[in-house]
Amino acid sequence: MNIEAPRSPSFFDSHVQRCEGILTGDVGIGTVVGKLRAVLEREDPGKRPAILKRAAIRERAPFRDLAAQAIDRTLPAVEHDAPRSGLDVNRGLLDFVSLVSPNIRLRARAGSGKSTAIVIKCDFLVNGLGVPPGAIQILTFNRSAVDDLVSKLHATLGPETGGRIGVNTFHSLAYHVLKSFPETRERTLVFREEDRSQKDQLSDLERTVRAETTPRDLKAYKDRYEGTTFGFMTKFPDFDRSVREFVTGASSLYRARRGTPGRAKRTPVTSHLSRVVEAYEKRLDETGVFDGEAGMREAARILSGAEDIPRFNRLTGALQFLFVDEYQDFSAAFEELTQGVMARNPDCVLNAVGDDWQSINAFMGADLSFFDGFKTRYPAALNLPLHTNWRCGRRIVELGNRVMKPDTGHEAVAGLSREGRIRVKTGDISQFGRKKEEWHEEARAFLERQVATMARHAWEEDARAGRAPGSMVLLAARNKPFGRSIGAFARAIDSPEGASVEASTSHGSKGREWDHVILLDGISSLYPGEHPADPVQRDMISRDEKDAEGHRLLYVAVTRAKRSLAILAPTDLHPRLEAARGLGAL
């Protein structure tokens, strides 16, 4: 379909000229951003995507060489000294770096180097376009991610320049806003860098749950449990105590999901959770306390308003570029805080980086509606791909695709030439009609034998290739698969000198990588796994959503492996892993 240029055919030429003016210093980036958004705002909504796409194609031309130089400064050349910026598999990276004026959601698959992409674009903006480092802010979820980004910025831009780029967790940003704003400065803040565990909050919530749970509420929960796989729990004498424990976690989830599109339906369970949350937050307000969730939302409210924030200059009007990491893990509070920063900085450009295939934090309020709805919430917004996996061997990349069953165009692409080794071993242990203690004992014996064998195979391959023994991790959905800790399985491995063996849950492995991965529990019932609180939480997280997150957790687990992946299934192999048999036989 032909799209007429807005106003006149010269708009696209004028846009390119303004971009060229950035290079000469005659035009500010804010001017280009503001003009593009204003033009799109005047157009029919149905025409905007095509107009923006055409403008973006034209915009890349004046910036492409500088973007390529930034890529090649960070990424080493490949065979025959070919620059990395010129490789077809790096086209997505070049496209991302060389765009200045649109808001961007970058879908970065596992192993694609999302933090490196952020650092390269910062290098391009600072050294290529002269953007002041202090006009760039990066927000992420935890302190380890902050440390990683700071280290990479210092290595790429130098400690002095890289150190002037703001890198914060969302919670530390909220903390600084609240401590700078006169009306909240004296409030007690019971959070710091990150607040995902919220131990103090949970203890306070437990007290509120006890006070706000009536016999009628307990009956509602008993009715909800009966008829489920956890119906047997209703016969336990401590059922009421167990329910209160589950309700405490569910109340945290209920708080986090407020403001998420598609609110939970009204049921006796959600009515009780609402009452608990209301009483808990009333108590916070009466005692002058903000916990992490309340603090994030209050900081977002302040940033979205017009009140002055003394002693807080970085994000008040002067910000030009905001980078958001792990965008797939957003809950409503993180989205509100991001929109608050953008409201304070109307010409700021948002670059949100994440991977919808690695969204595994629904139990903490994360919801993919924010990732999927990016273009509807931000003006002049594009969705771009970064799908080349530079971590895993080719077969492992393909297995990840098979686990996720993607639509065409969403697949991860292998960037490395090595094949990657996949091994699968099933135990075919029956669990039906048997006590858990019996078949768990058989599962442990199976794993003890197979873990040792798989580890030996991996290190023998390293030796044949002339490599030192590679790093190894044992993964499982739970800390104690089949009644024995992951660490105990790891410690039982006879490791060659210089080899390292770690143990981690599949959740805890996200963001990390090892040469060799041994998955201890690649079975149907653990991805997703059952949890006794499910009947309490199912009014907020549907069965379909839970199943989808289980598949994403499986994807995270298999894509931690660089050179080899061993999948052990004491009972039945998970259907999403069946492709591993064929890929392992190649």
Side-chain angles (χ1 to χ4, degrees):
M1 180 175 67
N2 292 325
I3 299 294
E4 294 182 5
R7 301 295 179 183
S8 72
S10 65
F11 162 73
F12 298 105
D13 292 334
S14 298
H15 182 66
V16 172
Q17 290 172 4
R18 284 189 286 271
C19 290
E20 291 171 341
I22 293 174
L23 297 174
T24 61
D26 297 326
V27 179
I29 291 176
T31 299
V32 180
V33 171
K35 182 66 174 178
L36 176 66
R37 293 177 182 175
V39 168
L40 289 173
E41 181 63 27
R42 293 195 296 269
E43 290 301 316
D44 180 88
K47 294 182 178 181
R48 291 173 191 168
I51 293 170
L52 179 59
K53 183 177 180 180
R54 183 176 170 187
I57 292 171
R58 296 288 304 275
E59 178 177 313
R60 288 189 180 105
F63 299 132
R64 188 170 296 272
D65 287 346
L66 289 172
Q69 291 171 27
I71 292 171
D72 296 333
R73 278 195 296 270
T74 298
L75 302 181
V78 292
E79 295 180 20
H80 312 300
D81 295 326
R84 292 286 283 270
S85 62
L87 299 179
D88 286 342
V89 289
N90 275 330
R91 175 66 181 272
L93 178 60
L94 185 59
D95 285 348
F96 169 64
V97 176
S98 59
L99 274 180
V100 172
S101 64
N103 291 312
I104 296 173
R105 188 207 72 186
L106 186 69
R107 176 191 279 119
R109 290 286 182 243
S112 61
K114 61 183 179 58
S115 61
T116 299
I118 291 173
V119 171
I120 289 172
K121 187 153 189 178
C122 288
D123 180 14
F124 161 70
L125 294 172
V126 173
N127 290 321
L129 302 188
V131 174
I136 301 173
Q137 175 69 45
I138 304 174
L139 293 176
T140 190
F141 280 90
N142 55 61
R143 187 67 216 179
S144 62
V146 168
D147 293 342
D148 176 64
L149 283 161
V150 168
S151 176
K152 288 178 177 176
L153 286 167
H154 286 190
T156 300
L157 297 169
E160 183 177 348
T161 301
R164 294 203 298 272
I165 292 176
V167 187
N168 295 84
T169 65
F170 289 93
H171 284 97
S172 70
L173 169 61
Y175 187 93
H176 291 308
V177 170
L178 295 171
K179 281 301 182 185
S180 299
F181 192 59
E183 293 180 13
T184 57
R185 188 180 300 157
E186 302 304 320
R187 296 285 291 264
T188 300
L189 309 184
V190 293
F191 66 94
R192 287 281 184 174
E193 289 290 348
E194 49 189 296
D195 200 37
R196 286 267 173 152
S197 60
Q198 305 176 351
K199 292 181 180 178
D200 293 337
Q201 171 204 329
L202 288 177
S203 65
D204 290 340
L205 261 176
E206 287 169 357
R207 288 191 287 272
T208 307
V209 168
R210 285 196 297 270
E212 296 293 329
T213 303
T214 67
R216 182 177 179 179
D217 297 319
L218 292 170
K219 183 181 183 304
Y221 288 110
K222 183 168 286 192
D223 292 343
R224 176 52 56 89
Y225 272 85
E226 287 177 345
T228 74
T229 55
F230 298 103
F232 66 93
M233 295 175 60
T234 63
K235 306 297 190 295
F236 290 172
D238 63 347
F239 176 73
D240 292 357
R241 180 188 59 79
S242 297
V243 165
R244 292 188 183 98
E245 290 178 359
F246 302 149
V247 169
T248 299
S251 297
S252 291
L253 175 61
Y254 185 87
R255 292 182 76 207
R257 286 186 67 84
R258 288 176 303 174
T260 302
R263 291 177 60 87
K265 58 185 178 181
R266 193 76 172 176
T267 69
V269 169
T270 56
S271 295
H272 177 234
L273 296 177
S274 177
R275 196 169 74 246
V276 169
V277 167
E278 183 178 350
Y280 171 74
E281 294 189 335
K282 180 180 180 182
R283 176 64 176 164
L284 285 180
D285 190 56
E286 289 173 347
T287 55
V289 171
F290 282 125
D291 66 359
E293 178 73 16
M296 290 263 290
R297 293 188 187 251
E298 179 63 14
R301 186 196 67 77
I302 293 168
L303 285 169
S304 298
E307 302 100 325
D308 184 42
I309 309 177
R311 301 184 289 111
F312 191 82
N313 300 319
R314 174 180 285 278
L315 307 186
T316 307
L319 192 67
Q320 296 185 44
F321 288 90
L322 173 64
F323 291 88
V324 167
D325 193 17
E326 302 287 5
Y327 188 51
Q328 78 282 345
D329 284 337
F330 262 39
S331 66
F334 295 102
E335 178 65 25
E336 289 174 14
L337 191 63
T338 300
Q339 291 195 354
V341 173
M342 296 294 286
R344 283 272 164 173
N345 301 271
D347 291 330
C348 182
V349 175
L350 173 61
N351 286 238
V353 182
D355 183 4
D356 50 340
W357 286 5
Q358 296 186 73
S359 179
I360 57 174
N361 288 319
F363 65 99
M364 291 187 288
D367 192 276
L368 276 173
S369 60
F370 301 108
F371 185 94
D372 294 336
F374 180 81
K375 290 171 69 173
T376 66
R377 292 192 309 281
Y378 296 98
L382 289 172
N383 293 336
L384 298 180
L386 190 66
H387 289 176
T388 302
N389 183 319
W390 295 101
R391 172 191 300 149
C392 307
R394 304 177 73 85
R395 296 176 193 172
I396 299 169
V397 174
E398 178 57 24
L399 178 60
N401 285 334
R402 301 281 189 92
V403 167
M404 294 306 298
K405 298 182 178 180
D407 297 330
T408 302
H410 290 179
E411 304 96 333
V413 178
L416 302 174
S417 59
R418 64 169 177 256
E419 289 296 324
R421 189 73 166 88
I422 297 178
R423 298 180 177 88
V424 181
K425 187 68 175 179
T426 59
D428 299 321
I429 297 170
S430 175
Q431 57 183 304
F432 298 105
R434 305 178 66 193
K435 292 182 178 180
K436 183 181 293 185
E437 293 79 6
E438 293 177 358
W439 72 268
H440 271 199
E441 184 177 354
E442 294 179 23
R444 290 193 295 270
F446 166 79
L447 289 178
E448 287 169 2
R449 295 191 303 271
Q450 295 304 324
V451 164
T453 299
M454 295 301 183
R456 186 177 67 254
H457 285 328
W459 285 320
E460 285 174 351
E461 282 189 0
D462 287 335
R464 284 193 295 271
R467 298 187 298 264
S471 59
M472 181 176 292
V473 68
L474 273 57
L475 298 181
R478 299 173 180 170
N479 283 307
K480 286 190 172 183
F482 313 107
R484 187 182 183 190
S485 73
I486 313 172
F489 286 110
R491 288 190 293 273
I493 294 175
D494 185 13
S495 307
E497 185 177 354
S500 64
V501 183
E502 297 182 61
S504 172
T505 62
S506 297
H507 260 102
S509 72
K510 184 164 168 273
R512 304 184 66 192
E513 62 183 28
W514 293 266
D515 293 309
H516 309 293
V517 169
I518 301 177
L519 182 63
L520 301 178
D521 59 354
I523 65 177
S524 301
S525 60
L526 289 176
Y527 295 89
E530 292 292 344
H531 187 280
D534 287 344
V536 176
Q537 298 183 1
R538 70 183 187 186
D539 288 343
M540 292 174 283
I541 302 176
S542 70
R543 182 70 205 190
D544 287 345
E545 290 172 322
K546 186 175 173 234
D547 287 346
E549 179 152 305
H551 300 153
R552 295 194 292 267
L553 181 59
L554 203 56
Y555 173 79
V556 168
V558 302
T559 55
R560 301 309 94 192
K562 295 163 67 175
R563 296 189 176 276
S564 79
L565 169 67
I567 299 172
L568 303 178
T571 58
D572 57 326
L573 186 65
H574 195 293
R576 294 287 179 120
L577 294 173
E578 281 294 339
R581 297 184 190 273
L583 291 167
L586 293 177

